[in-house]
Amino acid sequence: MIQATKKHTRFLFMFIFPAFIIYTVFMLLPIINSMKYSLYSGDGLVPGTFVGLDNFIRLFTEERYYSRFWGAFGNNIKFFLIVTFIQNILGFFMAVFITRSFKGSGFMRKLSFLPTTLSVLVVGFIFKLILNPYYGIFDKVLEAVGMGDFIIPWLGDPRSALVIVSIAVSWQFFGESVLFYSSGIDSIDESIMEAARIDGANIWHEIIHIILPSVLPIVGIVTILIFIGDFTQFDIIFAMTGTRGDPNYSTDLFGSLFYRTAFSSAERGGWGTGMGATVATMMFITVTIGVGGFLAFFNKKKEELGK
Amino acid sequence: MKKIALLMSVLVALTLLTGCQKKEESKTAEVKVEKVKLVFTSWRTEDIERMNRINDEFTKANPNIEIDFQPVKDTEYDAQLRQSLAAGVGADIIFLRSYDSGYQIYKTESLMDLNSVLPELKEFPSAAVAAWATPEGESYGIPAAGVVHGIYYRKSIFEKYGLDVPATWDEFIAACDTLKAGGETVFAQGTKDNWMLYEVMYSGLGANFYGGEEARQALMNKEARFTDDNFVLALEKMKELQAYFPERYEGIDYVTMQQIFGTGNAAMFMGGSWEIGIFEDLGGLEDVGYFAPPLAKAGDTLQYCFHVDAGIAMNKNTKHMEEVKTYMKWLASSDYAQLYMNELPGFFSYTPGNYTLNNQLAKEMQSYVSDSVPTVRTVWEKLSADSPSGNELVGEAIQMMYAGTLTPAEAAKFVDDGLSWYY
Amino acid sequence: MSKSKKPIARIALYALMITYALSILVPLVIMISTSFKTNAEIFNNPFGLPESLNFDAYTTLFVISNYGRYFMNSIGVTIISLTVAVTVSALASYAISKYQFKYSRALYVFFVVGLIVPIKLGTIDIMITMLNLKLFDTLWALIIVYIAMAIPLSVFILYDYIKMIPDELSSAARIDGCSEQGIFARIIVPLVKPGLAAAGIISFIPNWNEFWFPLVLIKSRDQFTIPLATGQLFGQFDTKLNLVFAVLSLASIPVIIIYLLLSNYFVKGLSAGAVKG
């Protein structure tokens, strides 16, 4: 590290500028500028009439808008909770087991990450095909093992569709949580574990007193990443239940709501670009509040443990 | 790592090279015969091969014009079209949906008024022309294709039970009972894709109960409401059919329905004429028959949903105005209409002329027209101009009715409430 | 970790791992094997492996649907955007990790914040900008967005790699009269190659699979990338199941191969990130 002086200014500027400008102009500014369009209304692709906060007022007072918005909001929370449970809690335990010393541990670590490399679209389509009530393999397997009575129209029933979609997403990103937690467990000093074992600690003690405290920061990261991913998730809905979140909007999430309202024709649920931008702004507020909340929560936890 | 870097750079080089070569080739070709490529877009991704064969005929007669048929997936089509036209990258020739969807596009001033280009539009059936025209009479689309809705059946299964084609609803239900008692899958129907429930079932089979075209007009003119008895009655009739749906119908999507019927695993399928080609591909047509929606009672006049499906518009800002006009003229000719109906049986052209249909099913579908009152889908016109659209609402309402969350009367109210923006 | 002594625990552990492995592999095996079946086989023999390797689905895809073109589009977009993103990120990372000035720390945070910024929410403005720049419906629109998207992760990874290079090396060069740019080119770049590779490879996956932006920004068929083509072809061939599965397999096989070849980069790169947190 060297102290930058005046003679470095030109060179530093040249080095930082390209990344800075691309990143700012095509990633940060668009979000702010898009919010600007939420104050406009109009027919065309670019809304031209300034209407102040009218779009927001309409979003929360007109039934045809707020029913969709709160519907997607509620679904998104359920979706997030299911995915968090599977990826965070089950993923954590899987990491505890996968880091035990056994033959094939390295292979399992690599394999577990494989689904994450696939496209969400592909994963959604595969699950949709496997769960097809007519030729899907899943139902046929259930029948073959005598569990035919449990078969329901997985993606056709509003009670099960969202759960199935959540499982498909979790299947794909489970490996990512496992990988993160495993690396956290790997970095725990081996001597601490040894000492605990000599003291006769069983696996539960190990988990609660040693593993959990040391991977807590990772729980925070994983949770925040899941939160952002889930509250902007679109591809899985497009692939499995369509942009209207079938059946009957029971799988409509913020991502599909945003796509439909901002980019579809009125006949397919489009609300015009201005209202679409309003939805995006509300999503941004939700994500920001959520991330802020999680950061505060996990920092506090960290401090408590630090003491 | 080095190997991979090498491999990647070779691939980049290849892309760049082939990209450049293609451009040069087309440039040299342009100089020689002044070949023009027109882009034709539609929502019928399944038609690529067939449309290419039709367009080859055009290119034979007009060697300097080549047609590049570039369809976009049905569900994304309208949004894609609107955006690409606004961006000035729209196709030259455009498939356009009827009434408001098409009108919304025309309002963006990106389509040509065809009255001056194609005076022959005056000869077309005026009801069809009106589906792609402004109230002031500007036409922006050639009425290119209509579709009908009815019931496909498996001849072998009907023969096995000695069933005749039902003409009335009672006969229809009786046939369903017989088939069900025999352990057959009566309908290859599912409720996962709710547009089917509205476009095919309610608009097709329901029309005989709600009063067809007259009732549709009354609804549109605000003289009737969707909660009126006739519209509710049609919903109740749809509900009756639920007893004959296959197991776990809630999870069966449109494609699966086609597969079930197309592979001979169900006795009947309530569908649209555009599916002839799909059934041909899936298992052949020898065993497939068709009948029109059953009448409410014997002696009624059939209310036949002959939907104005596709118009063809031209991009006002095309770079090849003259060539596009030449092609549009051809699209409005009876030569094209005959080729089109032969390649895509089940799509019926509005172009005046005498045609021979080479497909038996298409002939049967056509045969009902003469003794019927034609109508179009219930809430397609005007009532689907804003969000939530009538098209969506009716589909959703029937889906919920089949799921048991709404009674037919409540379903009607759901639609009526949703349409409050119209009133 | 020490070995668990109890045999029952061992067996349970292996049973769990085998179940987990199968839950990952079975859907993928179904996908690939079904693409080689005929439509009749899919209905009559859903569980078994294909009777013979039937490449019909793949030939149809390449002959009818112009799949080669989509593939080349994806390769072009991915390579250009990753090369640019990694290059500009390396420059910026070097400047902010090796030089201390008023905003060096702030700039690092500024770049890394992008890891949790949902860029999708800026789509409306991106679309309008691309319209104004006349880049709408071109692959350049995607390339620009993907460069922006890859910068935060690349800076995050490269910052550490560059920071770890001992300062003595560059000081020596500086005394020899090497310019700051020269130090970067001759000393830093050769030493940080694994970092550049890691940044590129880890960004490759989201870039290759990205579906949202082509869906909004690309309209013409000859500009499709693989994910957009997958979405479209799935609808186009939906009654022909072997074709559908072939479409899905073709979209996945390139990433699976790259992952299997280079999985160490993923595992190491991402683990480091997680622990550092």
Side-chain angles (χ1 to χ4, degrees):
Chain A
M1 190 70 114
I2 59 170
Q3 190 64 43
T5 59
K6 265 229 168 94
K7 67 168 186 173
H8 291 120
T9 313
R10 211 178 111 90
F11 139 80
L12 284 173
F13 180 80
M14 271 172 48
F15 267 48
I16 297 171
F17 185 74
F20 182 84
I21 200 78
I22 299 175
Y23 168 69
T24 310
V25 172
F26 291 100
M27 191 148 175
L28 299 183
L29 285 182
I31 296 178
I32 297 161
N33 285 338
S34 293
M35 288 189 209
K36 190 185 76 190
Y37 290 111
S38 67
L39 305 176
Y40 287 79
S41 180
D43 264 346
L45 215 51
V46 186
T49 325
F50 183 80
V51 292
L53 291 174
D54 200 37
N55 286 337
F56 290 91
I57 294 166
R58 292 176 72 197
L59 180 66
F60 291 108
T61 55
E62 285 185 35
E63 207 259 343
R64 59 171 163 159
Y65 296 132
Y66 72 68
S67 58
R68 290 286 93 80
F69 180 82
W70 291 119
F73 183 76
N75 289 338
N76 229 140
I77 290 184
K78 283 184 218 157
F79 178 64
F80 169 68
L81 290 178
I82 300 170
V83 173
T84 305
F85 171 77
I86 300 177
Q87 272 183 232
N88 246 344
I89 300 180
L90 301 186
F92 171 77
F93 283 107
M94 186 56 81
V96 171
F97 293 122
I98 225 167
T99 48
R100 304 271 109 182
S101 140
F102 66 97
K103 212 174 177 181
S105 164
F107 170 78
M108 281 308 295
R109 283 177 187 225
K110 278 181 189 169
L111 183 65
S112 69
F113 193 71
L114 183 63
T116 305
T117 66
L118 301 175
S119 127
V120 182
L121 202 63
V122 168
V123 171
F125 283 139
I126 295 176
F127 269 79
K128 185 178 166 182
L129 292 163
I130 289 176
L131 291 167
N132 185 293
Y134 184 61
Y135 53 74
I137 288 194
F138 187 67
D139 287 359
K140 293 207 159 71
V141 171
L142 285 186
E143 265 164 22
V145 298
M147 288 167 66
D149 293 345
F150 292 99
I151 299 173
I152 55 168
W154 306 107
L155 288 169
D157 190 327
R159 285 162 302 177
S160 58
L162 186 62
V163 180
I164 299 290
V165 169
S166 317
I167 291 174
V169 168
S170 307
W171 177 83
Q172 169 155 30
F173 295 108
F174 194 69
E176 200 170 35
S177 311
V178 172
L179 177 77
F180 281 2
Y181 288 130
S182 314
S183 51
I185 296 171
D186 286 344
S187 66
I188 298 172
D189 197 341
E190 185 66 13
S191 59
I192 300 174
M193 296 282 234
E194 279 303 321
R197 280 199 198 98
I198 290 162
D199 290 349
N202 65 17
I203 187 150
W204 279 111
H205 282 107
E206 235 178 85
I207 289 172
I208 292 168
H209 296 293
I210 302 171
I211 299 181
L212 202 53
S214 57
V215 300
L216 197 79
I218 301 179
V219 178
I221 297 171
V222 173
T223 308
I224 289 171
L225 288 179
I226 294 174
F227 182 78
I228 298 165
D230 284 4
F231 272 79
T232 54
Q233 180 56 262
F234 166 76
D235 300 11
I236 198 79
I237 302 300
F238 179 93
M240 292 183 80
T241 54
T243 53
R244 276 185 270 202
D246 287 332
N248 196 23
Y249 300 103
S250 63
T251 57
D252 195 19
L253 301 181
F254 268 172
S256 50
L257 180 78
F258 174 42
Y259 176 76
R260 215 174 51 239
T261 54
F263 305 109
S264 286
S265 58
E267 197 258 327
R268 288 192 179 269
W271 294 353
T273 315
M275 280 304 280
T278 311
V279 171
T281 307
M282 290 314 300
M283 285 167 72
F284 185 77
I285 293 171
T286 312
V287 170
T288 311
I289 292 176
V291 171
F294 282 121
L295 279 175
F297 175 79
F298 284 107
N299 278 336
K300 203 171 151 225
K301 277 272 158 204
K302 228 188 208 165
E303 276 167 28
E304 280 171 18
L305 283 169
K307 283 169 197 168
Chain B
M1 267 324 288
K2 266 186 191 162
K3 271 183 199 164
I4 290 153
L6 190 70
L7 182 76
M8 290 215 168
S9 40
V10 170
L11 284 171
V12 181
L14 270 177
T15 359
L16 295 176
L17 274 177
T18 51
C20 295
Q21 273 170 357
K22 264 180 202 158
K23 266 180 204 157
E24 275 162 25
E25 269 168 32
S26 60
K27 262 184 204 160
T28 48
E30 260 170 50
V31 179
K32 276 174 199 158
V33 283
E34 286 173 33
K35 215 164 193 169
V36 170
K37 195 162 144 194
L38 304 180
V39 177
F40 186 174
T41 188
S42 116
W43 57 84
R44 297 270 313 160
T45 45
E46 51 275 68
D47 293 350
I48 296 182
E49 287 165 85
R50 292 182 162 107
M51 286 305 288
N52 286 346
R53 282 199 293 269
I54 296 174
N55 287 326
D56 285 348
E57 294 296 317
F58 173 77
T59 305
K60 263 183 213 161
N62 300 274
N64 63 325
I65 308 176
E66 212 174 273
I67 309 296
D68 183 6
F69 185 69
Q70 289 202 1
V72 171
K73 195 180 164 199
D74 178 76
T75 46
E76 311 315 316
Y77 182 75
D78 299 80
Q80 296 257 11
L81 178 62
R82 195 168 65 104
Q83 289 157 14
S84 56
L85 284 172
V89 293
D92 303 297
I93 301 112
I94 296 158
F95 248 47
L96 208 58
R97 297 189 206 267
S98 53
Y99 299 116
D100 295 292
S101 296
Y103 186 51
Q104 298 292 340
I105 305 281
Y106 183 68
K107 275 203 300 194
T108 63
E109 298 190 346
S110 40
L111 301 179
M112 193 82 174
D113 176 5
L114 297 178
N115 283 335
S116 54
V117 185
L118 298 168
E120 53 266 57
L121 280 180
K122 287 192 197 75
E123 315 294 323
F124 282 60
S126 59
V129 173
W132 290 278
T134 62
E136 294 76 36
E138 294 159 288
S139 292
Y140 46 81
I142 307 171
V147 293
V148 298
H149 306 118
I151 297 131
Y152 292 94
Y153 69 98
R154 285 271 155 198
K155 290 178 187 164
S156 57
I157 301 182
F158 267 49
E159 267 165 36
K160 189 175 159 195
Y161 293 91
L163 293 169
D164 287 327
V165 167
T168 65
W169 189 263
D170 290 340
E171 289 169 30
F172 183 48
I173 296 292
C176 291
D177 284 330
T178 311
L179 291 165
K180 195 181 178 187
E184 301 289 339
T185 304
V186 184
F187 291 112
Q189 231 74 29
T191 62
K192 186 161 185 266
D193 288 318
N194 62 34
W195 64 268
M196 271 294 278
L197 308 176
Y198 152 64
E199 292 187 9
V200 171
M201 289 182 63
Y202 193 76
S203 301
L205 278 73
N208 282 329
F209 289 93
Y210 65 67
E213 182 63 9
E214 213 180 299
R216 185 183 78 88
Q217 291 287 348
L219 193 65
M220 214 164 58
N221 298 332
K222 304 182 187 177
E223 291 152 10
R225 296 293 281 247
F226 205 77
T227 41
D228 291 353
D229 290 346
N230 53 331
F231 291 107
V232 177
L233 173 68
L235 286 171
E236 283 164 357
K237 291 293 167 184
M238 296 303 108
K239 181 81 177 166
E240 276 179 32
L241 300 177
Q242 189 173 5
Y244 311 104
F245 286 175
E247 250 190 308
R248 296 189 287 276
Y249 59 85
E250 300 101 314
I252 297 179
D253 59 13
Y254 177 55
V255 178
T256 311
M257 300 181 211
Q258 295 175 335
Q259 279 159 336
I260 298 176
F261 183 78
T263 51
N265 286 303
M268 287 188 275
F269 173 65
M270 294 175 263
S273 56
W274 62 86
E275 279 144 347
I276 294 179
I278 293 164
F279 295 141
E280 191 169 12
D281 288 349
L282 277 173
L285 295 176
E286 299 82 52
D287 192 35
V288 179
Y290 172 87
F291 57 92
L295 302 171
K297 58 179 193 300
D300 280 2
T301 307
L302 170 64
Q303 302 290 327
Y304 204 19
C305 189
F306 198 114
H307 189 73
V308 277
D309 192 43
I312 303 176
M314 67 180 277
N315 188 340
K316 205 181 195 174
N317 305 313
T318 174
K319 290 187 191 84
H320 311 286
M321 189 55 90
E322 285 316 308
E323 288 82 0
V324 174
K325 281 181 180 170
T326 312
Y327 184 59
M328 290 293 279
K329 280 242 178 248
W330 187 70
L331 292 176
S333 72
S334 52
D335 289 352
Y336 167 77
Q338 182 68 63
L339 278 170
Y340 183 70
M341 284 192 279
N342 284 349
E343 279 289 352
L344 292 144
F347 287 91
F348 300 97
S349 176
Y350 293 101
T351 315
N354 289 317
Y355 304 106
T356 46
L357 296 180
N358 63 356
N359 182 286
Q360 189 54 37
L361 278 171
K363 268 188 206 162
E364 279 169 37
M365 290 168 177
Q366 177 93 316
S367 70
Y368 288 96
V369 172
S370 52
D371 294 327
S372 68
V373 181
T375 183
V376 299
R377 291 173 191 150
T378 326
V379 288
W380 197 271
E381 191 179 356
K382 291 187 183 165
L383 292 153
S384 291
D386 203 348
S387 179
S389 69
N391 291 344
E392 287 180 294
L393 289 166
V394 179
E396 286 162 23
I398 302 179
Q399 195 178 37
M400 285 189 271
M401 183 178 83
Y402 283 133
T405 26
L406 297 180
T407 65
E410 286 164 351
K413 188 167 182 307
F414 173 84
V415 175
D416 193 67
D417 287 349
L419 286 174
S420 58
W421 57 264
Y422 186 71
Y423 296 104
Chain C
M1 304 259 148
S2 72
K3 291 205 176 193
S4 173
K5 302 288 186 304
K6 291 176 224 152
I8 297 169
R10 293 260 92 191
I11 291 165
L13 184 64
Y14 275 109
L16 177 74
M17 288 305 152
I18 290 168
T19 316
Y20 182 34
L22 285 178
S23 80
I24 293 168
L25 289 172
V26 167
L28 300 178
V29 172
I30 292 174
M31 171 180 82
I32 294 171
S33 80
T34 312
S35 71
F36 290 111
K37 291 181 178 178
T38 60
N39 241 355
E41 261 186 285
I42 295 171
F43 287 99
N44 303 330
N45 179 22
F47 300 110
L49 290 171
E51 283 158 23
S52 60
L53 283 187
N54 179 347
F55 281 94
D56 286 0
Y58 291 92
T59 35
T60 312
L61 275 184
F62 277 95
V63 174
I64 295 182
S65 81
N66 211 359
Y67 203 86
R69 172 80 195 220
Y70 310 146
F71 207 79
M72 283 304 178
N73 286 344
S74 263
I75 290 182
V77 168
T78 305
I79 291 180
I80 297 174
S81 56
L82 289 185
T83 310
V84 177
V86 171
T87 308
V88 298
S89 302
L91 294 173
S93 304
Y94 174 61
I96 58 179
S97 66
K98 285 292 179 197
Y99 294 85
Q100 196 167 25
F101 54 101
K102 203 173 167 193
Y103 302 108
S104 54
R105 184 70 198 164
L107 272 169
Y108 173 69
V109 174
F110 175 77
F111 279 119
V112 172
V113 157
L115 286 173
I116 56 166
V117 167
I119 186 176
K120 251 181 213 169
L121 300 183
T123 313
I124 290 176
D125 183 60
I126 290 176
M127 180 178 79
I128 293 169
T129 307
M130 293 305 170
L131 283 171
N132 294 337
L133 295 175
K134 302 261 175 248
L135 293 176
F136 189 74
D137 196 31
T138 67
L139 295 174
W140 291 109
L142 294 183
I143 290 171
I144 293 171
V145 174
Y146 290 171
I147 294 171
M149 280 169 77
I151 287 175
L153 187 62
S154 305
V155 170
F156 182 70
I157 292 169
L158 287 168
Y159 184 88
D160 285 344
Y161 271 96
I162 296 176
K163 213 175 168 63
M164 279 188 303
I165 296 172
D167 283 337
E168 289 75 28
L169 292 170
S170 26
S171 312
R174 207 167 278 122
I175 291 161
D176 291 347
C178 210
S179 70
E180 301 299 325
Q181 289 92 324
I183 293 170
F184 177 76
R186 288 197 207 119
I187 297 176
I188 304 294
V189 170
L191 286 172
V192 83
K193 267 184 187 161
L196 298 173
I201 290 161
I202 292 171
S203 302
F204 167 78
I205 297 288
N207 192 315
W208 181 265
N209 289 330
E210 215 284 323
F211 174 62
W212 170 270
F213 283 103
L215 184 66
V216 176
L217 298 176
I218 297 296
K219 304 293 150 193
S220 306
R221 247 184 133 80
D222 53 5
Q223 306 286 307
F224 280 8
T225 55
I226 295 285
L228 185 58
T230 305
Q232 288 272 335
L233 294 175
F234 193 86
Q236 181 173 339
F237 295 126
D238 47 14
T239 50
K240 295 160 191 148
L241 283 174
N242 54 344
L243 272 176
V244 165
F245 280 103
V247 167
L248 300 181
S249 303
L250 277 177
S252 315
I253 288 168
V255 276
I256 294 181
I257 290 175
I258 295 210
Y259 175 68
L260 293 181
L261 285 177
L262 307 170
S263 54
N264 282 334
Y265 279 95
F266 288 90
V267 175
K268 274 183 202 148
L270 289 172
S271 314
V275 176
K276 182 184 152 198

